[in-house]
């Protein structure tokens, strides 16, 4: 309802003519399953529910504005996209630990406009070195022919690969201008000095 009111407001400003059509106009607004179509005729400017974000030299998108800010700071210091990605990932581990963290994995695809190559990095963790399938079955209470492990058992958790993948990505794809210490500095500052927690993050974090 809020988005609809905002859309109508922008439409009036742009002199956009709205026409509501439905099979049953009396129930269209109250029944979510009703067939409702919005038609508009543009006379001045495109209709946007949200304005697009535009930039000249670089852009960062993440679920936390402070993580995006950390990555933009790296770009301003001369770092490249991989440097900025590591900074954002480290900041997200502090800002949104309910969704991200250093105990997880990493998958990265990077495109280089200089050589036109696409590089992929698989940072998923390995199973523990001393764990084999026979021991896993035994300690999970399974028979010798079981092909899968319980999804919530400790033996189903891999060794975290995110940190090693950060280092590998920085060595192979980083700009070479900024050390890991500089990329982790924003996350360290957030962890030491605190930060505001938004309502959505607070809900899932609680």
């Amino acid at each position: 309802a809020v988005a609809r009111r905002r859309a109508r407001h922008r439409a009036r400003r742009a002199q956009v003519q709205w026409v509501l059509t439905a099979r049953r106009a009396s129930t269209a607004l109250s029944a979510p399953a009703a067939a409702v179509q919005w038609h508009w005729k543009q006379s001045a400017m495109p209709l946007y529910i949200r304005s697009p974000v535009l930039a000249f030299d670089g852009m960062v998108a993440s679920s936390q504005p402070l993580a995006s800010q950390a990555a933009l700071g790296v770009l301003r210091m001369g770092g490249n996209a991989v440097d900025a990605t590591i900074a954002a990932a480290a900041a997200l581990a502090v800002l949104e630990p309910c969704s991200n963290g250093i105990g997880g994995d990493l998958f990265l695809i990077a495109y280089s406009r200089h050589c036109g190559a696409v590089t992929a990095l698989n940072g998923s963790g390995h199973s523990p070195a001393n764990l084999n399938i026979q021991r896993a079955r035994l300690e999970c209470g399974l028979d010798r022919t079981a092909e899968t492990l319980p999804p919530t058992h400790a033996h189903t958790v891999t060794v975290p690969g995110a940190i090693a993948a950060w280092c590998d990505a920085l060595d192979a794809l980083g700009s070479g201008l900024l050390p890991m210490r500089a990329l982790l500095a924003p996350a360290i500052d957030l962890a030491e000095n605190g930060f505001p927690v938004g309502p959505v993050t607070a809900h899932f974090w609680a």
Side-chain angles (χ1 to χ4, degrees), residues 76-139:
R76 292 190 181 100
M77 290 189 294
N80 64 7
V82 173
D83 298 336
T85 298
I86 296 171
L92 284 171
V94 178
L95 296 165
E96 197 176 314
C98 48
S99 304
N100 308 271
I102 60 175
D105 298 325
L106 180 151
F107 302 93
L108 182 147
I109 297 178
Y111 169 75
S112 173
R113 65 182 179 87
H114 298 292
C115 59
V118 176
T119 303
L121 175 62
N122 182 352
S124 58
H126 298 282
S127 60
N130 293 328
L131 181 66
N132 54 43
I133 187 61
Q134 291 78 17
R135 179 178 176 180
R137 288 170 176 164
L138 177 64
E139 297 184 0

Side-chain angles (χ1 to χ4, degrees), residues 125-165:
H126 298 282
S127 60
N130 293 328
L131 181 66
N132 54 43
I133 187 61
Q134 291 78 17
R135 179 178 176 180
R137 288 170 176 164
L138 177 64
E139 297 184 0
C140 290
L142 303 173
D143 58 51
R144 297 182 179 180
T145 60
E147 297 182 355
T148 59
L149 301 179
T152 57
H153 196 276
H155 285 333
T156 8
V157 180
T158 60
V159 176
I163 300 299

